[in-house]
Each structure stands twice: as C-alpha cells, then as structure tokens.
Amino acid sequence: MGPSTATIEVAGERDDPPVRLFCTDSGGDGPPLLLLHGLAGHCGEWDALAARFTATHRVVAFDARGSGASTRRPGDVSRAAHVRDVRAVVDRFGLDAGRLTLVGQSMGGVTALLTAAAHPELVRALVLIEAGPDGPSPSLPGTIGAWLDSWPVRSPTPGRRPRSSAGERRAAPGRRVWSPAQVACTRASTGTSWSPRSRRTPTATTGTRGTRCAARCWWYGPARGC
C-alpha cells in the first residue's frame, strides 16, 4: 500500500477557531518517525525520504499550520501552537510515546526541539536539519524577508492589482504579497507591530528589550507586553 492522507482538526485556544492539519501516513514497521518541514515548505518534501524509511520505521508527516493544504490563515502562529499540533498528530496516529523520533528542518527543527522540551516523555531522539538550540540572529527576519521578496510575483492583468476571492488586494508585479499569517509570524519573530504598509524590511527590536525580546518571541510566540 502507498501513503495515505488524512486531515485532522486541532482545537484553538481562547477564541481562536480550530485549525485543520493535512497529514501523510507512509506506513511502515518499527518505531515512529515524524517529519516536520521548514518555513514555506510542505510535507510532500519528505516523500522520497519517507519511502526509504518505511522499511524500518512508521513514517508520518504533516503540513504545518499556515502551509500546504493545512489551514492557510490560522489565528495562532505561535511556537506553542506548533508544539500543540505535533502533539495532536502524535495522538491521532497513535505514535508510540517514548519511541518517537522527530526530524525537523529549519522552522520544523525549532518545533521539534520545543516539542521535546515540552513533552520529554514523547520523544526518544531528535534529528535537526538547519536548526539548533541557539536563538536567531537579529538580522534573520530581514534576511528571510529579502529572500521572499526575491520570488517572482505574477499579475494576470498587466498594470492592475488582482484581488483574491475574499477581496484581498494582491501585490502588483514584483511586489510581495503578505498573508495575515506571514505578518503575524514576522511580528512574533521581531517582537514588533511591523506592517507591510511600512515598506521597511522587518528587523528585530532595539532598545531596553533589544534582541532578547525578538529571540523570546521567535521561540515562544509573542507575550503580553512584548
């Protein structure tokens, strides 16, 4: 049998609506292996790796909230929300607690690390790819923003700004489109109230809280008074 797919629902906290997570179960025998993709990625990036490991592991992957076929505009994009999603996937697929290996790339590596810290009883091993325990560089949000700005943006009608089905104004050719989830992630990682309308590259906060605030927001999500 080939991989199977399922969509699970994760309840929101406070007044946030539930989030749908698109999951791929590649099957396999042995201890569970949960694969977490990076920023702007999707679980399909793991397909070739998953196929190789099904001989020795039970392999599952999912699209993170705000990515792929999962809910694209979640109300909560904090680090804690991503950890809750991992726990929900583990429970939904019955992955054995204490035998689980988390494999995370970039943002997925951060989620894997935080999940192991919050739920040590679940995780046997971590595999971190382009990720580690250090906080981000203060220049990281600007670097990521510049990288995303380099992507081409097409407009179906030259000289006009198309609108989405929801009436959202999209960017003109060559201009970046910021979704609400992307704006929320950028604000969380920089510890600011940055807006795309400012037309400035998002950077980490300065002043009395400085980069400590930006790093804390990146790892744990924005806190009150941040």
Side-chain angles (χ1 to χ4, degrees):
M1 293 180 60
S4 61
T5 62
T7 300
I8 70 172
E9 189 172 277
V10 181
E13 291 200 340
R14 299 181 298 276
D15 297 327
D16 293 324
V19 168
R20 297 183 308 279
L21 300 178
F22 176 81
C23 308
T24 300
D25 183 358
S26 297
D29 296 319
L33 192 67
L34 182 56
L35 308 174
L36 309 176
H37 67 77
L39 178 68
H42 61 91
C43 66
E45 297 172 0
W46 298 110
D47 286 351
L49 185 67
R52 294 176 66 92
F53 274 93
T54 52
T56 56
H57 292 75
R58 165 81 182 284
V59 185
V60 174
F62 70 96
D63 288 340
R65 57 175 60 211
S67 302
S70 294
T71 298
R72 298 303 298 271
R73 297 183 180 182
D76 186 356
V77 291
S78 66
R79 295 291 91 203
H82 285 274
V83 171
R84 290 198 303 272
D85 292 344
V86 172
R87 183 60 190 263
V89 171
V90 169
D91 291 344
R92 166 61 175 79
F93 289 93
L95 305 182
D96 293 342
R99 302 182 68 205
L100 175 67
T101 296
L102 291 178
V103 179
Q105 185 264 331
S106 191
M107 183 187 76
V110 175
T111 300
L113 196 63
L114 292 176
T115 301
H119 303 288
E121 74 284 359
L122 291 181
V123 182
R124 182 185 69 84
L126 290 174
V127 178
L128 304 180
I129 305 168
E130 300 175 321
D134 292 337
S137 165
S139 63
L140 180 61
T143 300
I144 294 175
W147 172 61
L148 292 175
D149 281 337
S150 70
W151 293 6
V153 179
R154 294 183 178 180
S155 172
T157 305
R160 297 184 60 187
R161 295 187 180 186
R163 294 176 180 270
S164 69
S165 58
E168 175 190 357
R169 183 174 294 279
R170 295 186 179 272
R175 293 286 301 281
R176 182 180 171 193
V177 179
W178 289 80
S179 73
Q182 289 172 321
V183 172
C185 281
T186 302
R187 289 174 175 172
S189 64
T190 60
T192 69
S193 57
W194 178 85
S195 167
R197 294 184 179 181
S198 68
R199 298 188 179 183
R200 295 194 304 270
T201 301
T203 56
T205 56
T206 58
T208 56
R209 299 188 182 186
T211 57
R212 292 193 302 275
C213 179
R216 180 177 56 74
C217 286
W218 173 263
W219 288 101
Y220 302 107
R224 292 180 180 177
C226 180

